[in-house]
Amino acid sequence: MEDKKQEKSIEEAIEGVREYTARRTAEAQKKPGVYIKTFGCQQNEADSERLCGIAEAMGYVNVGAPEEAELIIFNTCAVREHAELKALSLTGQLKHIKAQNPELIICVCGCMTAQDHRMGDLKNKYPYVDLIFGATSPQKFPEYLLNTIRRREDAHESRKRLFFPDSDALITEGLPVRRESSYKAWVSIMYGCNNFCTYCVVPYVRGRERSRRREDILAEVSELAAEGYKEITLLGQNVNSYGKDLYNGEYDFADLLGDICRLEGDFWIRFMTSHPKDASDRLIDVIAENSGEGKTGPRIARHFHLPLQAGSDKVLREMNRRYTSDYYLSLVKKLKEKVPGIGITSDIIVGFPGETEEDFEDTLKVLEEAGFDNIYSFIYSPRKGTPAAEREQLPKEVKSERFAKLLEVQNSISLKKNRAYIGKTVRVLVEGISKNDPSALTGRSELNRLVHFKGDEKLTGRFADVIITDADIYTLSGELAEKNETNGSGDCAW
């Protein structure tokens, strides 16, 4: 009953905004534009696709530059200070655009705005921002925007700007989506986080864990597969804890993956992010059963992103990670034994408060023993409101030196692993023309390695076999196998 009530409220708000955009369309002889800028993680990208879909349902058309828009949305990130400062800087640059176009509505939303001090900054220092709301309520966007429009049109209304803290964080199904890609898709399976790592702001800005119903997820993935999507990435702050809030242990992430792999279609599944403490043996078994050379149809890509964060047990305790380095390495060993050839990537934080030289050396030891294919490494960034931010911070030069050393060790490992691919054939999902070399195509292998090769742009969005001829730290280079040649109609011959 509550779902129906909310659905009706959303539809009424969308219709109300559509009436406004119809008037604007008649006046300007073209639809008003919406420009969305996304900061941060894949979950933010998925949220932006939903916000853009909602905007288009309300009568806006997606445009490529803020100067072309009548609605600008900045979807922000709060994981690191750099992302916040960049969002604030770009928001500052919108002032002159607003001066030139008084009809422009500027909206700032997402994780950054869920923090009281950043909400205050936007209220007080950016008076041309019309609408602010947090990360947990995209379903409220039509209502918020409609209220903003009505206030602006009401001559008796003195408060034209609107600020909304995060609402009840309900999950609303069926919201329109405008996907950026026609062959790669994000599918959020849950939202929020219960872990409260001492360095992380996510539980404070995205709320507690909330899982989507399995039938809704399976329906979305099935529809994407039927539409021809080749890569579907399941998203959650901790996908391994999926279902705990809904199914009381009777249905979990391993079950969901197994069900997805039984759906019809030619696609592979990725997922992120996994917390090591919740990576079960059964999950590893499901991955092993649904991956491997020569398997056709739906399968799980042999790539596991498993954040380590630190190799020192002392630092892990102070981070509230709830596992040890030995436990972590045992997971890596299991994955490599049960899923031969699997690619494992990780996140590592350098310079956590209190990290000693010995602690850092422990991280380097785990790095070498785990043999990661790649890492996403970060210098610790204090997040206001988190326990670690209150501790004494390490000097900047110490953190920078350790960061450089970490990259040096990992680059050596990555180069060795990549060179081992020379002469081998890898399956690649083609992503189109390379940004760095217009004469080449680029794509990602099953193990998430970036691959460059010569070929017809018509291969974009398809799987192709590439023979690797060269490698560096970050990429593989190769040549298309003969069976990938396209025929006269542009269809692959295999």
Side-chain angles (χ1 to χ4, degrees):
M1 184 69 178
E2 194 64 31
D3 287 349
K4 290 291 184 183
K5 184 177 178 181
Q6 186 180 53
E7 184 179 327
K8 183 179 179 182
S9 175
I10 293 170
E11 289 176 355
E12 289 175 349
I14 288 176
E15 182 57 36
V17 178
R18 193 184 290 128
E19 290 174 5
Y20 166 78
T21 57
R23 293 198 303 272
R24 295 295 302 152
T25 300
E27 292 166 4
Q29 294 300 299
K30 64 176 182 178
K31 283 188 174 184
V34 57
Y35 173 83
I36 299 184
K37 173 73 175 176
T38 308
F39 304 83
C41 68
Q42 291 87 351
Q43 185 65 68
N44 272 22
E45 292 181 32
D47 290 346
S48 287
E49 289 184 342
R50 206 161 296 281
L51 290 171
C52 192
I54 293 171
E56 289 190 342
M58 293 188 294
Y60 290 91
V61 60
N62 192 50
V63 295
E67 294 81 4
E68 303 170 15
E70 284 199 17
L71 171 63
I72 294 175
I73 303 171
F74 278 5
N75 187 11
T76 62
C77 173
V79 173
R80 285 178 293 281
E81 185 179 27
H82 176 73
E84 292 185 354
L85 295 179
K86 183 178 180 182
L88 291 171
S89 174
L90 292 178
T91 301
Q93 295 175 27
L94 298 179
K95 182 178 181 179
H96 74 279
I97 300 177
K98 183 68 170 278
Q100 295 171 1
N101 180 13
E103 298 297 329
L104 174 63
I105 296 174
I106 299 175
C107 168
V108 181
C109 62
C111 295
M112 184 184 79
T113 66
Q115 302 171 103
D116 290 342
H117 66 290
R118 291 305 188 197
M119 176 73 87
D121 286 343
L122 289 165
K123 284 182 181 179
N124 300 321
K125 299 177 183 178
Y126 303 84
Y128 45 87
V129 173
D130 302 284
L131 172 61
I132 306 170
F133 64 95
T136 65
S137 47
Q139 73 280 0
K140 291 282 189 178
F141 174 50
E143 177 187 332
Y144 294 160
L145 183 60
L146 179 60
N147 286 339
T148 302
I149 291 167
R150 285 175 173 170
R151 283 176 181 272
R152 291 179 57 165
E153 293 181 333
D154 186 347
H156 302 289
E157 177 58 65
S158 60
R159 288 194 312 122
K160 307 296 184 184
R161 306 167 71 207
L162 289 175
F163 315 106
F164 295 96
D166 276 336
S167 60
D168 47 20
L170 294 174
I171 293 177
T172 303
E173 299 292 344
L175 294 175
V177 180
R178 184 188 189 275
R179 300 195 186 272
E180 286 295 310
S181 171
S182 61
Y183 55 91
K184 296 172 66 174
W186 311 114
V187 174
S188 298
I189 66 169
M190 61 187 302
Y191 305 92
C193 183
N194 290 353
N195 288 308
F196 289 92
C197 299
T198 59
Y199 54 83
C200 185
V201 74
V202 168
Y204 305 98
V205 297
R206 282 197 170 269
R208 304 303 293 269
E209 289 176 355
R210 307 172 310 281
S211 301
R212 291 178 63 197
R213 293 171 298 200
R214 58 190 171 191
E215 55 267 30
D216 294 322
I217 297 168
L218 293 173
E220 183 175 355
V221 174
S222 183
E223 182 178 346
L224 289 167
E227 291 173 1
Y229 280 81
K230 299 300 182 186
E231 178 176 294
I232 299 169
T233 302
L234 310 179
L235 297 177
Q237 259 64 48
N238 176 19
V239 291
N240 293 346
S241 61
Y242 169 79
K244 287 183 179 180
D245 57 321
L246 279 183
Y247 301 115
N248 298 316
E250 296 179 2
Y251 188 91
D252 61 12
F253 185 51
D255 295 316
L256 179 66
L257 277 180
D259 283 347
I260 289 173
C261 287
R262 285 185 280 275
L263 297 174
E264 295 293 327
D266 178 24
F267 62 94
W268 61 32
I269 286 288
R270 299 190 188 277
F271 55 87
M272 63 190 321
T273 296
S274 291
H275 197 298
K277 72 178 177 61
D278 298 314
S280 66
D281 287 348
R282 201 161 72 83
L283 173 60
I284 296 173
D285 287 339
V286 170
I287 295 169
E289 291 163 6
N290 292 280
S291 62
E293 299 291 345
K295 187 174 178 65
T296 59
R299 64 172 182 178
I300 302 166
R302 289 176 300 158
H303 168 233
F304 203 111
H305 187 68
L306 192 66
L308 168 65
Q309 306 302 8
S312 160
D313 288 346
K314 183 198 84 177
V315 174
L316 287 171
R317 284 194 301 273
E318 292 174 354
M319 287 179 166
N320 192 36
R321 291 294 288 173
R322 288 175 278 178
Y323 56 81
T324 65
S325 58
D326 283 345
Y327 173 79
Y328 183 93
L329 287 169
S330 73
L331 277 178
V332 171
K333 183 180 179 182
K334 265 182 219 172
L335 282 163
K336 290 182 176 181
E337 287 176 348
K338 294 205 170 186
V339 190
I342 192 169
I344 301 176
T345 55
S346 191
D347 295 340
I348 295 178
I349 296 172
V350 172
F352 185 79
E355 178 189 75
T356 65
E357 193 63 35
E358 183 181 359
D359 293 328
F360 177 64
E361 288 297 325
D362 285 343
T363 294
L364 295 183
K365 288 174 186 175
V366 175
L367 196 73
E368 292 177 323
E369 189 168 344
F372 296 120
D373 293 64
N374 191 18
I375 61 169
Y376 300 89
S377 51
F378 312 95
I379 293 176
Y380 170 74
S381 174
R383 301 286 72 217
K384 189 171 182 177
T386 62
E390 305 302 318
R391 299 186 57 185
E392 184 178 352
Q393 304 298 308
L394 296 183
K396 182 178 180 181
E397 59 271 18
V398 171
K399 294 192 283 189
S400 297
E401 287 173 7
R402 291 178 184 174
F403 185 73
K405 178 63 175 176
L406 183 82
L407 291 183
E408 180 185 343
V409 172
Q410 180 58 46
N411 286 347
S412 176
I413 295 169
S414 296
L415 181 59
K416 182 178 179 181
K417 281 181 166 285
N418 281 353
R419 282 180 173 167
Y421 275 84
I422 295 175
K424 295 182 179 179
T425 300
V426 298
R427 193 183 193 207
V428 171
L429 178 57
V430 185
E431 297 181 345
I433 295 174
S434 169
K435 294 178 182 178
N436 298 321
D437 181 2
S439 68
L441 297 178
T442 190
R444 292 229 173 234
S445 73
E446 182 190 353
L447 276 61
N448 210 35
R449 281 177 164 81
L450 197 61
V451 183
H452 299 307
F453 54 96
K454 304 291 184 182
D456 192 326
E457 190 180 355
K458 292 176 182 176
L459 287 170
T460 299
R462 304 181 185 184
F463 290 118
D465 288 334
V466 178
I467 303 168
I468 304 304
T469 58
D470 198 6
D472 60 26
I473 293 170
Y474 303 108
T475 61
L476 305 176
S477 300
E479 301 172 351
L480 277 174
E482 287 185 8
K483 67 178 180 177
N484 293 314
E485 296 299 325
T486 57
N487 60 33
S489 66
D491 296 326
C492 288
W494 43 275

